[in-house]
Amino acid sequence: MRTQDMDLDWTATAKTLSQALPYMQRYAGATVVIKLGGHAMGSDEAMAEFARDVVLMRQVGVNPVIVHGGGPMINALLDKLDIQSEFVNGKRVTDQDTMDVVEMVLSGQVNNRLVQAINTQGGKAVGLSGKDANLITCDIADPALGLVGTPSKVETTILSDLFAAGAIPVIAPLGVGPYGKTMNINGDTAAGAIAGALKADRLLLLTDVEGVKDKDGAVLTEINALKISDLIADGTIAGGMIPKTETATKAIKEGVRAVVILDGRAPNACLLELFTDHGAGSLIR
């Protein structure tokens, strides 16, 4: 008969799993849309950790949907190919040459890498873009910006079919525009539209900051849509946080139960938010 000393880390792990049980029960069967970008896509180690978290979520009955960005990779390839970009009011114009690169990076490089990472961890990921099965139909966001789309319709049948098969959809933010044109969609906007169409329980927007902050730089752990409008008006919410909070409020109006803006650099950020008392980032109801 072999004996061994109890390690405190093992005990803590067992306690954590036990404490997570009510949260696992609460989210069983729930749909959670995750917008992935920034740090979690920056290294193989971060990607593997994120993939493990997603596979665990699926293992305990959650239906995760991953929507990813790819801005830095797109910029790098545009520079390598010496494709010059025009900007209107600080936003890149997506002409056909740029669109070809965007589609190559998002549907090819980034999507495939994420699918492989999840499958390596024992999941069953399926890569899609918003063009597949007319998942996302778009209007032109601004004629001056070229092939940039705003989602007008999300057809969720293919996602429901993938859930039933135990699969994890991984979606590149592209869509079908007028005359069948491929359209580039902001990743947060695409994730919000998909979450709204699915009436998701949670939309998790992973960023490279801790969450929405007040004037003193403290993270607001819970906030409502009305307060967001006030903070945008007085300049507290500014820059890249404005479209994220606007996506959050729009998703809630479309039926998402709650949105969380959280720091994707934190280890196991999604698991902290869903399965612990602690939570992470800013919860918007």
Side-chain angles (χ1 to χ4, degrees):
M1 180 175 177
R2 186 168 63 92
T3 64
Q4 61 183 13
D5 295 331
M6 288 296 291
D7 187 293
L8 289 179
D9 287 341
W10 301 340
T11 305
T13 298
K15 184 176 181 181
T16 299
L17 290 171
S18 177
Q19 291 172 340
L21 176 60
Y23 299 99
M24 292 178 180
Q25 292 170 328
R26 181 251 180 272
Y27 284 106
T31 298
V32 175
V33 178
I34 305 170
K35 163 51 179 30
L36 178 66
H39 175 79
M41 298 171 62
S43 69
D44 291 339
E45 293 79 9
M47 186 79 81
E49 181 180 271
F50 174 78
R52 280 194 298 273
D53 290 354
V54 170
V55 173
L56 175 60
M57 290 164 61
R58 188 69 189 84
Q59 187 68 36
V60 299
V62 178
N63 291 317
V65 179
I66 315 304
V67 181
H68 62 81
M73 297 82 160
I74 292 168
N75 293 338
L77 187 54
L78 287 171
D79 290 342
K80 185 175 182 179
L81 296 175
D82 197 24
I83 296 176
Q84 302 300 314
S85 296
E86 180 184 350
F87 291 84
V88 174
N89 297 324
K91 297 180 180 180
R92 187 194 302 274
V93 176
T94 304
D95 58 16
Q96 189 58 59
D97 286 343
T98 302
M99 187 69 248
D100 290 343
V101 172
V102 168
E103 187 166 17
M104 185 188 312
V105 171
L106 292 180
S107 284
Q109 178 185 348
V110 180
N111 194 274
N112 287 341
R113 185 174 168 222
L114 252 175
V115 167
Q116 183 176 2
I118 293 170
N119 290 346
T120 297
Q121 298 300 326
K124 189 162 67 171
V126 175
L128 303 166
S129 82
K131 294 166 58 178
D132 292 313
N134 290 320
L135 176 58
I136 306 177
T137 303
C138 292
D139 294 327
I140 294 173
D142 180 349
L145 295 177
L147 299 172
V148 176
T150 299
S152 57
K153 180 182 178 183
V154 178
E155 175 51 66
T156 61
T157 302
I158 190 171
L159 302 181
S160 299
D161 291 344
L162 290 172
F163 294 157
I168 300 168
V170 178
I171 303 170
L174 303 170
V176 180
Y179 310 107
K181 282 280 190 180
T182 300
M183 306 297 286
N184 185 19
I185 310 169
N186 174 274
D188 291 335
T189 302
I194 291 167
L198 290 170
K199 308 299 183 208
D201 194 275
R202 284 288 187 275
L203 168 60
L204 307 182
L205 299 175
L206 271 60
T207 71
D208 285 343
V209 296
E210 293 88 348
V212 181
K213 298 180 179 180
D214 64 15
K215 287 182 179 298
D216 298 322
V219 174
L220 298 166
T221 56
E222 189 161 345
I223 187 171
N224 60 38
L226 181 60
K227 183 64 174 177
I228 285 174
S229 297
D230 293 340
L231 293 176
I232 290 175
D234 69 15
T236 302
I237 293 176
M241 189 56 72
I242 292 177
K244 290 186 186 300
T245 51
E246 289 178 339
T247 291
T249 54
K250 186 173 187 295
I252 289 168
K253 289 176 183 176
E254 292 176 353
V256 176
R257 186 168 177 269
V259 181
V260 186
I261 298 175
L262 67 161
D263 190 350
R265 299 170 300 178
N268 310 114
C270 295
L271 300 187
L272 278 172
E273 175 56 38
L274 295 179
F275 300 137
T276 72
D277 287 328
H278 181 271
S282 300
L283 177 69
I284 303 167
R285 294 188 186 277

